[in-house]
Amino acid sequence: MISIDQAKFNEILKLSDVKPRLKKELKFAAGTDEWADREMFAAADKTGRNGVLLLQPYEKLYAVQYELTPRIVDSLTGRDRAVICDFCRTWQKGSNAASVSFTNPVSKNSVTFLCCGDLACSQHVRTETDAARISRTQLKEDLTNEDRVRRLKNRLDDKIKQLDLAPIA
């Protein structure tokens, strides 16, 4: 992903269709060294439930407003349900699983996906997290990190098309 500092982030927000109130509440807490190996980055408000997801699977950068619903509860048992993330295909235990909803600002269509509760998919596919290591044993996956990164990029590109997002940069 391109290197983004606070000024660049503010510029991206100006170009995006993010609601003005959310723009004021977003926390940008990333160092410049965190961008080299990232296809997606979440900037959330203080609740952690609303924010902007920056996506750059390939050359173009996209920004989309999201709403995160942590923990997916099984209606029969009342227990947190484990999921496989629709973005990075990482298995997440129930306490770290979530669903994320996006609303297209033009069409007003809403789409919801199962996801990692921390939205750290770029780190998960590179096996930089405990969740990724656990997932590899749960799914018995033998893909290399490069293959997992390629799969994440392709899946993000599909989601961008599904949401009909326009590039920011």
Side-chain angles (χ1 to χ4, degrees):
M1 183 175 277
I2 60 174
S3 181
I4 299 175
D5 57 12
Q6 183 68 54
K8 181 71 174 172
F9 182 70
N10 290 340
E11 182 182 323
I12 289 168
L13 287 180
K14 285 180 187 176
L15 296 172
S16 72
D17 293 323
V18 176
K19 294 178 182 175
R21 181 172 176 227
L22 181 58
K23 286 181 184 181
K24 292 178 187 176
E25 295 175 359
L26 288 176
K27 290 184 189 178
F28 179 78
T32 55
D33 59 334
E34 295 183 42
W35 295 100
D37 295 326
R38 302 295 180 252
E39 293 76 27
M40 61 187 285
F41 179 80
D45 65 1
K46 62 184 175 185
T47 69
R49 291 183 178 225
N50 298 296
V52 172
L53 194 59
L54 301 179
L55 304 169
Q56 189 176 20
Y58 297 106
E59 302 85 31
K60 297 179 180 174
L61 179 67
Y62 300 85
V64 61
Q65 186 173 325
Y66 71 84
E67 183 177 336
L68 190 70
T69 305
R71 297 188 169 199
I72 299 168
V73 179
D74 188 302
S75 60
L76 296 176
T77 65
R79 294 184 181 185
D80 291 339
R81 191 178 72 176
V83 302
I84 297 176
C85 178
D86 285 333
F87 301 115
C88 64
R89 305 298 298 160
T90 300
W91 179 89
Q92 290 287 355
K93 60 185 176 182
S95 61
N96 209 29
S99 63
V100 64
S101 298
F102 303 102
T103 301
N104 184 305
V106 177
S107 67
K108 304 294 184 206
N109 291 335
S110 180
V111 180
T112 301
F113 301 104
L114 298 175
C115 66
C116 302
D118 56 8
L119 292 174
C121 295
S122 291
Q123 292 95 320
H124 296 314
V125 296
R126 290 172 174 81
T127 318
E128 295 174 4
T129 63
D130 289 338
R133 288 183 277 283
I134 292 169
S135 174
R136 286 192 159 208
T137 60
Q138 290 290 333
L139 300 178
K140 295 177 179 49
E141 191 171 62
D142 61 354
L143 295 176
T144 66
N145 284 352
E146 293 78 23
D147 291 337
R148 289 169 50 96
V149 168
R150 190 174 312 108
R151 180 176 65 192
L152 173 63
K153 288 181 176 186
N154 291 337
R155 293 184 72 78
L156 288 176
D157 196 44
D158 290 343
K159 304 302 182 210
I160 288 166
K161 289 174 184 168
Q162 184 177 355
L163 293 166
D164 195 27
L165 297 177
I168 297 292

